[in-house]
Amino acid sequence: MAEVDVTVIGAGVVGLAVAARLAEGRDLVLVERRERHGQETSSRNSEVVHAGMYYPTGSLKAVLCVAGNRRFYEYAEARRVPFSRCGKLIVAIEEDELPALHALHQRGLDNGVPLHLISGADARAMEPEVPAIAAIWSPTTGVMSAHGLMDALREDAFRSGTIERLRANVTGLAREADGWRVTLQTPAGAESFTSARVVNCAGLEADTVAALAGVDVDAAGYRQHWCKGSYFAVAPRHAGLLRHLVYPLPGHVSLGTHAVIGLDGRLRFGPDAQYLPQRVPDYDVPESRRAEFAHASRRLLPVLEEADFSPDLAGLRPKLQGPGEAFRDFVIAEESARGLPGLVNLLGIDSPGLTASLAIAREVEGLVNA
Ligand SMILES: Cc1cc2nc3c(=O)[nH]c(=O)nc-3n(C[C@H](O)[C@H](O)[C@H](O)COP(=O)(O)OP(=O)(O)OC[C@H]3O[C@@H](n4cnc5c(N)ncnc54)[C@H](O)[C@@H]3O)c2cc1C
């Protein structure tokens, strides 16, 4: 008999949601290499509750975003996670953007997202400073406290008996007769235990963890690229300038530098998308990029001046598609077919992973129970 039923690797929002979902009635260990939960991508993002219009119809990103959006609002209301259902405008500024706006509207409807195509005059009535000639209005987009969500999920997981191991880096995963031998490196040294099942929610390192378990990550298409997204903050005197999130039409790699309103009313612009040539964590946002950010942001909000922008945070997306490559979906896979029963790998959990986290956890539960 294995010592525990389930080991969840990674205490970001996805690992926490999975632990909260699976812990009831099981011995579950949540392993995190940092000193606290939620110190990586889950706390370095736009904190937007996405509606689900961007992703190919039927993809996991589309389905789990739409389901995750609904579940998030229900959960947040029940558990008092701070959020604002402020809604979002995706705007066309030039005539030649209209076909793409219409195509995005149609895709959103196909994905089951409540959306409205509105005129420039209606968009400007909602946001007088944004020079929109037409827009998509998304009433179910919002913003949340990612830490609020993670804290609530962690509480739920603890209530069901989850054991949390912090400052514990998973360095080995070996298949044994009755499950997995999990090796941890901790400040006190190395230790190991057996677990019937392992759920890999290691975010940026999910491919490294899959490789530890014996997956050939290149052959499986699991190699992750790190794609940095930086933000610039707008001077506090402009807080309140926008009442809704305002996005341009999306680019190929990211949703485009957009206006994010924090729950505190603070305005930020970002994130851009820069693939890192090497997988070395780089969260630096240099002052030297101010003009570039101001240029992209002033397209949406011309009243701002370059001096209004100052460097803010950056986050790293674990992307399965490399630079210039086609769309890749989330991977959520039980690995029996590779001869690795009991292992569930989650890879490429970039945006909308925060929004989708509760729906992802449900998907994982289905695989664990199968
Ligand atoms: C710039 C940016 C903007 C984004 N904006 C949004 C948004 O507005 N809305 C949205 O829905 N999504 C957004 N996302 C995506 C969202 O942030 C992620 O999908 C989500 O946070 C992923 O959570 P996670 O738990 O998978 O990963 P993480 O938060 O990275 O958690 C993984 C955890 O695993 C731990 N770990 C790794 N290796 C090991 C190991 N060997 N042993 C033990 N622990 C390990 C790490 O320390 C980490 O804590 C954005 C992402 C970025 C980068």
Side-chain angles (χ1 to χ4, degrees), residues 153-169:
L153 290 168
R154 186 163 170 265
E155 245 176 59
D156 288 354
F158 280 4
R159 197 174 305 120
S160 302
T162 291
I163 295 167
E164 184 183 50
R165 295 296 312 272
L166 298 173
R167 297 201 288 163
N169 191 18

Side-chain angles (χ1 to χ4, degrees), residues 207-224:
D207 51 353
T208 313
V209 169
L212 287 179
V215 175
D216 178 340
V217 293
D218 288 313
Y222 284 3
R223 178 76 61 198
Q224 297 186 144

Side-chain angles (χ1 to χ4, degrees), residues 71-86:
R71 285 182 174 278
F72 168 76
Y73 287 121
E74 285 164 10
Y75 183 78
E77 260 161 31
R79 299 288 280 104
R80 302 196 175 193
V81 175
F83 72 90
S84 158
R85 210 189 294 242
C86 55

Side-chain angles (χ1 to χ4, degrees), residues 9-15 31-34 40-42 44-48 50 168-170 201-203 205 209 229 231 271 315-317 349-355:
I9 304 173
V13 71
V14 174
V31 184
E32 168 56 50
R33 63 181 171 175
R34 304 271 173 213
E40 298 205 347
T41 309
S42 296
R44 294 176 165 275
N45 56 63
S46 302
E47 298 187 288
V48 169
H50 285 300
N169 191 18
V170 174
C201 304
E205 296 295 353
V209 169
Y231 295 84
L316 301 176
R317 309 169 180 90
I349 311 294
D350 60 341
S351 195
L354 178 65
T355 307

Side-chain angles (χ1 to χ4, degrees), residues 131-147:
I133 60 162
I136 296 169
W137 165 239
S138 164
T140 56
T141 302
V143 288
M144 67 154 98
S145 162
H147 276 290

Side-chain angles (χ1 to χ4, degrees), residues 325-369:
E325 290 174 9
F327 169 85
R328 289 285 306 273
D329 205 355
F330 292 154
V331 168
I332 303 175
E334 202 282 335
E335 303 288 11
S336 288
R338 291 180 206 283
L340 303 171
L343 173 66
V344 176
N345 279 318
L346 286 79
L347 292 111
I349 311 294
D350 60 341
S351 195
L354 178 65
T355 307
S357 52
L358 292 165
I360 291 174
R362 211 177 142 100
E363 187 83 4
V364 170
E365 183 185 41
L367 295 175
V368 165
N369 287 342

